Amino acid sequence: MTTWAITELGPHDRRAVADAGSLTEAILGRGMFTVENVLEGLRDGALLFLTAYAGKPPVPVGAATARVLDDDGYRDLIAPMPPGTLPAAPPSAGGRRIGRLNSLAVTEPLRGRGLGSALTAHRTEWLRERCTEAYTISWLHNQHGRSEGLLRALGWQPVAVLHDYWLQATTTGDQSCPQCGRPCHCPGLLLRLPIPSTVAARLASRGSARGRLA
């Protein structure tokens, strides 16, 4: 049985980020992220970047990210959604800390062996510890390995089905869909991660205090 080791990358791991980026684009399509954007997020502590390695010498076999969104990141999240799906007010308006579970890529030989589950569980706990609310969008494609079942098992709750969510990003942006190519007409399932009220209140209070000091 193949084993793996999951590593949390840091701001000095440029080569490892680039290798994980190549793996992600080969599986999920182009335009998922750039190395510079990843390193910037790692430097400011807003990004979690996990890479799984297997074999001797070890090679990347999985990569996954999660992020605490700033105002621009939140606007990017909600921009393709129908108005009213999520509040339009940015996180800074209410001292919220909004997280997003981002991309997950696992190589074909390791699928169905628990690696995707491990990467998703790690990221879910990271968001629970840092955010007052968190969201993700599960790609509703026609292939095996759809993620919504795993997400529900980890406590994520469905909010709405979003049609053509990635249409603009794959029409005028840099992204491409491994199933549709360009443009992408796949729907996505928006899910929300419930955060315990005590944790959310503590984080919101911390965010408000930072705002007053600024």
Side-chain angles (χ1 to χ4, degrees), residues 55-104:
K56 293 183 180 181
V59 296
V61 293
T65 61
R67 181 183 288 273
V68 178
L69 300 176
D70 59 14
D71 287 359
D72 289 339
Y74 183 69
R75 292 188 188 101
D76 290 342
L77 169 68
I78 68 173
M81 299 180 186
T85 304
L86 292 179
S92 63
R96 296 177 296 162
R97 288 176 60 83
I98 301 177
R100 181 175 184 179
L101 196 73
N102 292 101
S103 58
L104 167 67

Side-chain angles (χ1 to χ4, degrees), residues 75-199:
R75 292 188 188 101
D76 290 342
L77 169 68
I78 68 173
M81 299 180 186
T85 304
L86 292 179
S92 63
R96 296 177 296 162
R97 288 176 60 83
I98 301 177
R100 181 175 184 179
L101 196 73
N102 292 101
S103 58
L104 167 67
V106 175
T107 57
E108 181 69 37
L110 271 294
R111 292 175 196 168
R113 301 193 179 191
L115 176 54
S117 299
L119 291 167
T120 303
H122 189 132
R123 293 179 297 150
T124 296
E125 287 308 307
W126 187 87
L127 290 170
R128 278 200 178 104
E129 294 170 358
R130 289 164 176 78
C131 300
T132 60
E133 56 193 281
Y135 299 94
T136 191
I137 301 169
S138 177
W139 179 38
L140 299 180
H141 53 90
N142 294 323
Q143 302 171 356
H144 295 297
R146 285 165 50 156
S147 62
E148 71 267 27
L150 168 60
L151 291 166
R152 290 175 190 242
L154 290 171
W156 293 83
Q157 298 177 352
V159 176
V161 174
L162 306 173
H163 296 281
D164 290 336
Y165 181 79
W166 295 280
L167 178 62
Q168 183 173 356
T170 55
T171 301
T172 61
D174 297 328
Q175 294 186 27
S176 64
C177 171
Q179 181 162 304
C180 304
R182 291 173 57 90
C184 174
H185 292 283
C186 295
L189 176 64
L190 174 66
L191 299 104
R192 182 179 186 274
L193 179 66
I195 306 293
S197 57
T198 54
V199 175

